């Protein structure tokens, strides 16, 4: 019985760290999900490829949670990010490591990630790209909610005030309290109309609230870097 090698698949490195003498432990994003593998000889040519934002083709061997990198090759031009775009890319990587369960296939997350990297490299405005990525990631993982109707299925009223009930959706409230969202901001978000006053900053607050519960209280390192820069 001949063992056919596992098929190569597209991948990006989310994170890599030294492991044992000359190896690296690498978290890959692939259409098959987030996969962790040992890369041997990480100080050689393979190690220079095993960095973020480089489109790769990898063969991963082994059936357990920790795989071995059988073959790894560049599959296109590395995406060159610097400044705030670089911090944004690192933020996306950290978000995926923290939120994406291991070995849980999400091909659309992979495609959206690759497209977002290219848009960051082209210098497109960061905030809409990040909000859109966070939103789609939550949705793909089953944590999404509607922006144009509330938890009772009622249309969002432009003059209404709403709070986020995490994993349920938006609830209309009639008493002022911290952390609320107004209807016009939510409707602008639903249409991805980022020219509407306040829509982007409200989207940032909304995504922060929606993500917080899934991040389990540990702050994101890349977010701290952003603050210091």
């Amino acid at each position: 019985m001949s063992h056919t090698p596992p098929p190569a698949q597209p991948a990006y490195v989310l994170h890599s760290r030294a492991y044992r003498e000359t190896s690296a432990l690498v978290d890959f994003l692939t259409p098959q999900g987030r996969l962790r593998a040992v890369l041997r000889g990480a100080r050689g040519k393979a190690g220079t490829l095993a960095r973020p934002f480089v489109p790769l083709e990898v063969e991963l061997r082994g059936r357990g949670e920790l795989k071995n990198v059988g073959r790894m090759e560049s599959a296109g031009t590395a995406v060159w990010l610097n400044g705030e775009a670089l911090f944004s890319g690192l933020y996306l990587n950290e978000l995926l490591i923290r939120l994406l369960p291991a070995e849980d296939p999400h091909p659309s997350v992979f495609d959206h990630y690759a497209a977002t990297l290219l848009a960051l490299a082209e210098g497109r405005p960061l905030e809409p790209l990040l909000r859109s990525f966070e939103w789609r990631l939550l949705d793909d993982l089953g944590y999404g909610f509607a922006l144009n109707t509330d938890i009772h299925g009622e249309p969002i009223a432009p003059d209404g005030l709403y709070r986020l009930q995490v994993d349920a959706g938006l609830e209309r409230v009639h008493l002022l309290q911290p952390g609320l969202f107004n209807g016009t901001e939510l409707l602008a978000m639903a249409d991805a109309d980022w020219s509407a006053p306040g829509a982007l900053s409200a989207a940032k607050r909304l995504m922060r609230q929606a993500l917080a519960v899934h991040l389990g209280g540990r702050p994101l390192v890349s977010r701290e870097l952003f603050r210091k820069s």
Side-chain angles (χ1 to χ4, degrees), residues 76 134 144 153 161 172 174 178 194 198 204 225:
E134 292 162 339
L161 287 174
R172 188 161 186 180
H174 298 281
W194 302 121
K204 188 171 193 167
L225 288 175

Side-chain angles (χ1 to χ4, degrees), residues 9-17 24-40 42 46-61 65-74 92-93 96-98 100-106 109-110 113:
Q9 57 181 328
Y12 284 92
V13 170
L14 294 176
H15 187 254
S16 170
R17 62 180 184 273
L25 202 54
V26 184
D27 278 292
F28 289 102
L29 178 67
T30 76
Q32 291 307 305
R34 182 173 64 80
L35 305 174
R36 182 165 282 186
V38 175
L39 173 66
R40 303 192 189 286
T48 58
L49 276 182
R51 56 194 172 88
F53 319 128
V54 180
L56 299 170
E57 196 169 85
V58 293
E59 265 174 30
L60 300 176
R61 293 156 193 239
E65 278 227 340
L66 188 58
K67 316 236 178 289
N68 284 303
V69 178
R71 182 174 71 81
M72 184 169 74
E73 288 172 9
S74 167
L92 298 185
N93 287 5
L96 289 167
I97 288 171
R98 293 281 292 276
L100 208 54
E103 309 208 31
D104 191 7
H106 285 283
V109 169
F110 181 87
Y113 174 81

